[in-house]
Amino acid sequence: MAEHRPHPASTPQSIRAEAIEILLIERGLLSESVIDDVIVRFNERVGPMNGARVVVRAWTDPEFKTRLLADGSAAVAEYDFEGGQVDKLVVVENTEAVHNVVVCTLCSCYPWSLLGLPPRWYKDPAYRSRIVREPRAVLEEFGVSLAESTSVQVWDSSAEVRYLVLPQRPTSSIGLDEADLPALVTRDSMIGVALL
Ligand code: FE
């Protein structure tokens, strides 16, 4: 049998995942190359870098931004992103007046093709219930302090509708080369739990 990749953190979850992986490979249900392909795919081709490209284009191309906010699915379709179907993508824009944040209260629906795999806390029952009841308190815990005059809008994802937050462009990015902008756009800012 081929040697297994080293696991940097021996958490109970990683030990369990490795045990399952070994069993599936031993029984011929899975091969190491398939697992490696999935890991490469989600590390290099599916992930927040796709959402960041969309965000930067919206910042720099007003015509695209209008289309993106009007019909996210159609605007993003031209990219051919892979990694899970999004039936309907709704893009919501953060402004001085409104701050948007995304949750799936039922489970963990998430725009995979734009953001990759959801972070662990996104699936946490505490986040899923508290962000609805006390969004400002939860946002404070993420380090997001909003002005009193900014209203908070929480969007509940589902299997049918996924949301992407269009974060505000940081004023410090004005004058930067457009090619350098995607690196500024964090995953958390596109969920709405971080500012840029
Ligand atoms: Fe869900």
Side-chain angles (χ1 to χ4, degrees), residues 22 30 41 90 118:
I22 290 169
L30 196 61
R41 184 166 159 235
V90 174

mmCIF file of all heavy atoms in Angstrom, residues 22 30 41 90 118:
data_model
loop_
_atom_site.group_PDB
_atom_site.id
_atom_site.type_symbol
_atom_site.label_atom_id
_atom_site.label_comp_id
_atom_site.label_asym_id
_atom_site.label_seq_id
_atom_site.Cartn_x
_atom_site.Cartn_y
_atom_site.Cartn_z
ATOM 1 N N ILE A 22 -8.001 5.016 5.239
ATOM 2 C CA ILE A 22 -7.230 3.769 5.114
ATOM 3 C C ILE A 22 -8.173 2.603 4.808
ATOM 4 O O ILE A 22 -7.905 1.783 3.929
ATOM 5 C CB ILE A 22 -6.415 3.506 6.413
ATOM 6 C CG1 ILE A 22 -5.277 4.543 6.516
ATOM 7 C CG2 ILE A 22 -5.847 2.094 6.416
ATOM 8 C CD1 ILE A 22 -4.586 4.557 7.875
ATOM 9 N N LEU A 30 -11.683 3.448 -2.800
ATOM 10 C CA LEU A 30 -11.148 4.781 -3.024
ATOM 11 C C LEU A 30 -9.664 4.599 -3.325
ATOM 12 O O LEU A 30 -9.042 3.675 -2.819
ATOM 13 C CB LEU A 30 -11.325 5.570 -1.717
ATOM 14 C CG LEU A 30 -11.203 7.071 -1.719
ATOM 15 C CD1 LEU A 30 -12.261 7.686 -2.617
ATOM 16 C CD2 LEU A 30 -11.414 7.582 -0.295
ATOM 17 N N ARG A 41 -7.796 20.085 -6.101
ATOM 18 C CA ARG A 41 -8.895 20.844 -6.690
ATOM 19 C C ARG A 41 -9.384 21.917 -5.728
ATOM 20 O O ARG A 41 -9.549 23.078 -6.090
ATOM 21 C CB ARG A 41 -10.014 19.854 -7.023
ATOM 22 C CG ARG A 41 -11.181 20.464 -7.714
ATOM 23 C CD ARG A 41 -12.060 19.341 -8.303
ATOM 24 N NE ARG A 41 -13.384 19.856 -8.513
ATOM 25 C CZ ARG A 41 -14.483 19.319 -8.023
ATOM 26 N NH1 ARG A 41 -14.424 18.221 -7.296
ATOM 27 N NH2 ARG A 41 -15.641 19.866 -8.250
ATOM 28 N N VAL A 90 -27.221 35.016 -5.053
ATOM 29 C CA VAL A 90 -27.621 36.401 -4.800
ATOM 30 C C VAL A 90 -26.427 37.119 -4.195
ATOM 31 O O VAL A 90 -25.860 36.662 -3.193
ATOM 32 C CB VAL A 90 -28.842 36.464 -3.856
ATOM 33 C CG1 VAL A 90 -29.163 37.911 -3.480
ATOM 34 C CG2 VAL A 90 -30.050 35.798 -4.509
ATOM 35 N N PRO A 118 -16.653 25.507 3.295
ATOM 36 C CA PRO A 118 -17.017 26.436 4.372
ATOM 37 C C PRO A 118 -16.115 26.261 5.591
ATOM 38 O O PRO A 118 -15.670 25.157 5.886
ATOM 39 C CB PRO A 118 -18.466 26.048 4.710
ATOM 40 C CG PRO A 118 -18.687 24.701 4.143
ATOM 41 C CD PRO A 118 -17.690 24.493 3.047
#
